[in-house]
Amino acid sequence: MHLQELRRGTVVLACLLILQQPNYGYALLDLLDRHGFAVDANTLYPLLRRLEKQGLLTSDWNTEESRPRKFYRTSDEGIALSDTLRRDWDELGTALHSLKGES
């Protein structure tokens, strides 16, 4: 349960980073899982829609294959936010290390 709480806040950043290269939902689920972010489809798809509505992602339908797929990509605004979030993440990591007495 505690790990799920820690991951919840990082899934947005993970999606923004991964989707700097266009990808579709199912492949994103697999990539997140392989990198240690186990996310349920019922959580991911609403998140993608929310990020798109906020202007952090863009999407396009690929209908060239037998099964149409919606591909998402991080927008310029999403890239700027991911840069900010990464800096914030690094600062939090430094703060946590200092609490433990590490340098």
Side-chain angles (χ1 to χ4, degrees), residues 3 6-8 10-11 13-19 21 23 26-39 89:
L3 188 55
L6 283 173
R7 283 188 181 140
R8 181 171 293 152
T10 59
V11 171
L13 177 56
C15 287
L16 292 174
L17 292 173
I18 291 172
L19 291 173
Q21 299 297 316
N23 221 328
Y26 184 78
L28 179 58
L29 277 171
D30 183 54
L31 278 169
L32 287 167
D33 187 53
R34 284 191 281 141
H35 289 281
F37 292 89
V39 179
W89 182 262

Side-chain angles (χ1 to χ4, degrees), residues 26-101:
Y26 184 78
L28 179 58
L29 277 171
D30 183 54
L31 278 169
L32 287 167
D33 187 53
R34 284 191 281 141
H35 289 281
F37 292 89
V39 179
D40 187 78
N42 292 329
T43 300
L44 181 65
Y45 289 105
L47 173 66
L48 292 174
R49 286 190 295 273
R50 180 174 60 84
L51 294 176
E52 184 177 20
K53 187 175 181 180
Q54 292 173 339
L56 301 173
L57 296 178
T58 60
S59 67
D60 290 300
W61 283 96
N62 180 340
T63 56
E64 295 174 7
E65 298 179 22
S66 61
R67 181 177 176 192
R69 291 187 171 142
K70 188 174 187 178
F71 278 75
Y72 294 91
R73 183 180 188 117
T74 306
S75 68
D76 290 342
E77 187 178 337
I79 290 171
L81 178 62
S82 71
D83 290 344
T84 299
L85 292 173
R86 276 194 299 194
R87 281 192 303 275
D88 292 346
W89 182 262
D90 290 342
E91 288 175 13
L92 285 171
T94 300
L96 287 170
H97 287 293
S98 72
L99 286 173
K100 292 173 41 179

